[in-house]
Amino acid sequence: MGAAGIRALLRSVRYEVLPAKATEDKVLAHVPRDVVVTVTASPVKGLEPTLDLAGRLAGHGYAVVPHVPARLLRDDAHLKEVVDRLREAGVDDVFVPAGDADPPAGAYDGALPVLRRLSELGGPFAHVGVTGYPESHPLIHDDVTVQAMWDKREHATYIVSNLCFDPRVLGDWIARIRRRDVRLPVHLGVAGPVQRAKLLSMATKIGVGESTRFLTKHASWFLRFATPGGYAPERLLTRTEETLDVPSAGVAGLHLFTFNQIAETERWRRALLERLGG
């Protein structure tokens, strides 16, 4: 991908953060207000830390995207409470994955029923994101995940691709969903400039074992993660150039998994923009 294309992606960036104790301070210290911040939700801690942090960051002037996993919602009344709370905080963008809670907290076992319910509520959010899986999901067949995006397209406004390190897999997946006539814009899920050990441990936890296997099979990649500054997210973008440069790919921006290494991620982004002349 050329310099202009990478610059455009870096300016349309989202930082995914975890709702930990220090997250708010890290965001305030290092993230400009024009960067969208997405806040994950934990099946262990529930929705409250996500909603609380999202509300506080919105109050500081950030465009915030809380994750609202279907399997953490108890029922329709709980969903309505979440909607009202987020709208009161000024949030107009939510990300609705199925979630990993097992068993589910209530009646919702997947994202589609929640998306349909949001539509029935009049579409309270201007933007609604859903998950895409370039790599095989550990529990769901690839054909099912592509079909799910087709089913969700009428209720969602964009897709966020899950973490992927293989440019061929990423390119094939984008081509595949477009052939399936899924036209929602895609925010590419890319790991920020994180340490190797941190990345591998977090990747395993969020269910992307295929990425871990890919790294272990490719010694040169693994060694680059092992050296300080050795991993550069732009390499993945460059190696997916042929797919991303096609207008029909519909790539809207980057979704950077920071793993709460927020300062490091923003320093990398600024340095790369400066190096690319933008």
Side-chain angles (χ1 to χ4, degrees):
M1 166 171 280
I6 294 179
R7 284 200 305 269
L9 290 177
L10 291 170
R11 292 193 186 107
S12 301
V13 71
R14 295 176 170 224
Y15 286 172
E16 180 174 299
V17 304
L18 305 149
K21 289 182 179 179
T23 303
E24 181 179 3
D25 291 339
K26 288 182 179 181
V27 171
L28 291 174
H30 302 290
V31 181
R33 296 300 193 279
D34 61 348
V35 170
V36 176
V37 179
T38 80
V39 184
T40 66
S42 163
V44 176
K45 297 181 179 179
L47 269 176
E48 182 55 34
T50 301
L51 301 177
D52 182 53
L53 179 58
R56 294 201 310 272
L57 291 177
H60 290 301
Y62 287 95
V64 184
V65 185
H67 292 212
V68 183
R71 296 169 72 91
L72 289 181
L73 294 165
R74 296 186 299 273
D75 50 31
D76 287 355
H78 187 203
L79 174 59
K80 183 64 165 56
E81 290 174 11
V82 170
V83 168
D84 291 345
R85 181 171 172 179
L86 292 175
R87 293 302 299 141
E88 186 176 350
V91 172
D92 68 353
D93 190 342
V94 294
F95 178 65
V96 184
D100 298 321
D102 187 18
Y108 298 120
D109 63 355
L112 185 57
V114 174
L115 296 170
R116 287 172 172 159
R117 183 60 182 147
L118 287 174
S119 294
E120 291 169 0
L121 291 173
F125 302 105
H127 309 283
V128 178
V130 294
T131 308
Y133 296 98
E135 297 183 347
S136 297
H137 189 284
L139 301 177
I140 309 172
H141 192 278
D142 288 352
D143 289 339
V144 175
T145 65
V146 174
Q147 179 64 44
M149 281 183 286
W150 169 261
D151 295 336
K152 296 170 185 174
R153 75 195 190 287
E154 294 183 358
H155 307 282
T157 61
Y158 64 91
I159 297 167
V160 176
S161 66
N162 206 350
L163 186 61
C164 180
F165 296 111
D166 189 329
R168 180 191 57 79
V169 169
L170 185 57
D172 288 349
W173 173 75
I174 291 175
R176 184 181 182 193
I177 66 171
R178 296 318 185 202
R179 286 196 303 270
R180 188 65 175 80
D181 205 29
V182 176
R183 298 299 171 191
L184 297 176
V186 171
H187 292 265
L188 291 180
V190 176
V194 299
Q195 298 172 356
R196 181 199 59 173
K198 178 84 168 179
L199 181 63
L200 292 179
S201 65
M202 291 298 298
T204 300
K205 291 178 183 177
I206 62 175
V208 286
E210 290 295 323
S211 284
T212 304
R213 282 190 286 275
F214 175 81
L215 286 173
T216 57
K217 289 177 182 177
H218 295 76
S220 62
W221 281 66
F222 195 84
L223 289 172
R224 281 196 288 270
F225 276 102
T227 57
Y231 166 61
E234 65 268 25
R235 290 196 187 104
L236 174 63
L237 303 178
T238 301
R239 292 169 180 174
T240 322
E241 171 182 0
E242 292 183 4
T243 299
L244 301 185
D245 276 347
V246 176
S248 60
V251 176
L254 291 183
H255 181 99
L256 283 173
F257 295 89
T258 70
F259 306 104
N260 274 18
Q261 293 191 281
I262 296 166
E264 296 86 344
T265 301
E266 178 59 13
R267 279 199 298 269
W268 165 80
R269 186 180 76 99
R270 291 184 182 183
L272 182 55
L273 277 171
E274 183 175 349
R275 194 159 72 241
L276 294 173

